[in-house]
Amino acid sequence: MIDRIRNTARRWLADGTVDVFLGFRKRPDGTVVPVRIRDASDADGTYFGDGCVHNLMGLVDLRGEEKVGVLLKGCDGRAFVQLMIEGEVDRERFKILGVVCPGLSSNDSLEEKCETCRYNTPPVYDELVEDEGVESWERGPVYDGLAEVESMSHPVRAAYFKNEFDRCIRCYACRDICPLCYCEECVTEKSRPQWVEVGVKPSSSFYWHLIRAYHLAGRCVSCGECDRACPVGIPLKYLNRKMSRQVEELFDYVPGTDPDATPVLLEFKEDEEHVLCPGDGS
Amino acid sequence: MSKERDRGYDPTIVGLLCNWCTYAGADLAGTTRIKHPQNMRAIRIPCSGRVSPHFIFTSLFQGADGVFIGGCHPADCHYTSGNYYARRRFALMKSLLDFVGVEPDRLTLEWVSASEGDRFAEVVTEFTEGVKALGRPNSLKRDGLES
């Protein structure tokens, strides 16, 4: 698998198919980092395996001119498709090297985001590499952790989230790492009007996390990058999962899986009054 | 903003009313002197599709006990489809707020036409009673979060 990735990257860079290739590199200490290579001779330094958790779509310059080759797992591929249907990436500018992801582990256990993975293969790609014995899968939804929160009373839920958000240092790593958070000017940096207070306070952090989750409703592809990037361990996954579940239940939409879809909040059906009073207690 | 008085918990409700339907419906309720609770502060907006999540979040953080959104009935939107978009967005906003601790009774999206003064009074009364029944400030009120 790694050989095929290296060969493809080398070929694309050597024949000018792409100007830059985004992949992974394993450092001598065993950690894995994303890498941009521009020289075909560097292709041997690329890697794929445990540790390649990063979503490389979060590192792409969406508005650049260069031809980009990029290695995408299933979750990363969903980010690509969602960006594509939102008109943010030009399919022609990208050469996608898809991998049929076997699921990634750290310390001998499967990454949490891989346990709940639904699509291990990118929905669109130019070339696909797979390991023997790893098949493409499409699995049903897993929305872990929501029932625990929903079993609490409303004031207790608010206290639970307040307690989690209180640790927020407002570094905005969750936003910056997110492949779908591409606004050139984020609402949190706007001052006319200033919807999100700048100071690090319980109420302003609570507000920030609400609007972040809402802006990703119907767009989050469950790549888990926000959760991984958070330096203080805020469980952003619950908010994202809640929104994903609602979007799937109400609108039968799973972000980033259909290259021909319209983003869920940019369309409607005339006959869907039932969405206002869903029967799941929300 | 919310006051405990002799007559009990007296909630403050922010009303975001569509200019073409619900705002006119509220006007009609007033001119025909239909009685309904006075807790709602009406804000006129061009369309229910104009409602940004910030309007709702900010209302709640600043202490409103409930947020009422009024729009044209489906198929009657002055701008053809603003209320349909509003419906999808509202459904998600409400479930997100529910998840983090805001009771669903604090938020509603109602369709009231310009000719439905009686219906306006009815839905506002029902909503206000629902908020009153909760009997406490909303969980996201800034003062509460900061204390």
Side-chain angles (χ1 to χ4, degrees):
Chain A
M1 190 178 204
I2 293 179
D3 283 342
R4 274 205 61 193
I5 291 170
R6 288 173 178 166
N7 291 340
T8 309
R10 188 181 305 112
R11 174 160 44 84
W12 282 354
L13 284 164
D15 67 14
T17 307
V18 301
D19 300 315
V20 59
F21 183 85
L22 257 78
F24 298 98
R25 185 168 66 90
K26 193 169 193 173
R27 296 193 291 199
D29 66 357
T31 55
V32 177
V33 289
V35 62
R36 276 188 185 86
I37 57 173
R38 294 178 179 277
D39 196 325
S41 62
D42 292 333
D44 282 341
T46 56
Y47 171 77
F48 185 76
D50 287 343
C52 295
V53 291
H54 321 66
N55 187 339
L56 297 177
M57 283 315 294
L59 301 173
V60 167
D61 177 9
L62 296 177
R63 293 169 184 83
E65 301 280 321
E66 288 181 315
K67 289 274 281 179
V68 179
V70 61
L71 183 72
L72 298 179
K73 308 181 289 294
C75 44
D76 316 340
R78 285 180 59 190
F80 185 91
V81 168
Q82 187 63 27
L83 287 164
M84 198 171 87
I85 68 173
E86 291 177 14
E88 291 298 321
V89 298
D90 173 8
R91 180 70 185 87
E92 302 301 310
R93 228 188 97 214
F94 288 84
K95 287 289 274 187
I96 299 173
L97 179 55
V99 288
V100 180
C101 179
L104 307 172
S105 301
S106 66
N107 301 326
D108 294 331
S109 66
L110 204 56
E111 299 276 350
E112 193 193 354
K113 71 165 175 178
C114 301
E115 282 173 13
T116 55
C117 171
R118 301 178 63 180
Y119 299 84
N120 67 337
T121 307
V124 296
Y125 52 80
D126 295 291
E127 290 190 28
L128 189 68
V129 291
E130 53 201 313
D131 259 345
E132 265 179 51
V134 181
E135 291 182 2
S136 280
W137 70 60
E138 274 191 45
R139 292 177 180 165
V142 182
Y143 294 121
D144 278 354
L146 300 187
E148 283 86 337
V149 175
E150 284 167 344
S151 67
M152 304 175 198
S153 73
H154 285 91
V156 176
R157 289 180 204 187
Y160 166 75
F161 280 109
K162 181 199 161 182
N163 194 32
E164 296 289 340
F165 298 153
D166 268 3
R167 293 196 301 277
C168 182
I169 56 171
R170 303 288 281 285
C171 64
Y172 300 118
C174 48
R175 172 196 69 184
D176 294 347
I177 200 73
C178 178
L180 274 312
C181 262
Y182 51 68
C183 291
E184 290 196 356
E185 191 187 9
C186 177
V187 66
T188 194
E189 276 139 16
K190 285 187 177 158
S191 55
R192 286 185 185 182
Q194 187 178 63
W195 293 112
V196 191
E197 276 188 274
V198 178
V200 183
K201 297 194 297 183
S203 62
S204 60
S205 295
F206 207 121
Y207 196 109
W208 159 248
H209 287 290
L210 270 187
I211 198 66
R212 190 204 66 83
Y214 184 73
H215 279 175
L216 286 162
R219 308 175 58 241
C220 171
V221 296
S222 314
C223 71
E225 284 291 81
C226 50
D227 238 57
R228 189 179 64 82
C230 181
V232 291
I234 297 171
L236 300 166
K237 59 192 169 200
Y238 294 149
L239 295 167
N240 295 338
R241 267 178 212 162
K242 169 70 181 178
M243 289 289 89
S244 298
R245 190 184 74 188
Q246 292 305 109
V247 165
E248 185 165 18
E249 285 181 0
L250 297 177
F251 309 120
D252 193 25
Y253 180 82
V254 182
T257 54
D258 177 5
D260 298 316
T262 304
V264 71
L265 290 179
L266 295 185
E267 66 168 1
F268 59 83
K269 290 187 181 127
E270 292 184 8
D271 178 25
E272 55 181 9
E273 191 72 5
H274 63 277
V275 304
L276 290 179
C277 38
D280 65 351
S282 45
Chain B
M1 297 222 343
S2 62
K3 294 149 243 150
E4 294 290 342
R5 289 188 191 151
D6 294 345
R7 55 197 161 120
Y9 175 60
D10 192 27
T12 301
I13 291 165
V14 172
L16 301 166
L17 311 184
C18 149
N19 174 53
W20 305 99
C21 289
T22 313
Y23 196 83
D27 218 16
L28 184 63
T31 48
T32 47
R33 299 180 176 257
I34 304 172
K35 282 209 162 52
H36 59 79
Q38 303 295 302
N39 301 66
M40 194 173 82
R41 305 341 186 222
I43 297 172
R44 188 164 64 135
I45 54 172
C47 176
S48 51
R50 172 65 181 92
V51 174
S52 153
H54 292 296
F55 298 176
I56 299 179
F57 296 168
T58 300
S59 300
L60 294 170
F61 277 81
Q62 295 196 358
D65 298 286
V67 181
F68 176 103
I69 301 166
C72 304
H73 284 277
D76 281 345
C77 177
H78 187 76
Y79 308 101
T80 324
S81 51
N83 51 358
Y84 291 129
Y85 292 109
R87 186 165 64 187
R88 282 203 164 191
R89 291 185 209 141
F90 181 82
L92 294 182
M93 270 182 251
K94 186 165 172 172
S95 54
L96 176 62
L97 286 164
D98 173 48
F99 189 63
V100 300
V102 177
E103 299 84 350
D105 283 351
R106 294 190 190 277
L107 301 166
T108 192
L109 172 62
E110 297 286 348
W111 314 125
V112 179
S113 84
S115 62
E116 294 177 322
D118 47 353
R119 178 174 154 76
F120 176 81
E122 211 174 281
V123 293
V124 167
T125 306
E126 194 187 325
F127 181 65
T128 309
E129 294 306 323
V131 176
K132 264 188 186 159
L134 293 168
R136 55 167 182 263
N138 90 71
S139 311
L140 302 189
K141 191 174 175 182
R142 193 183 286 150
D143 304 353
L145 287 175
E146 300 298 343
S147 62

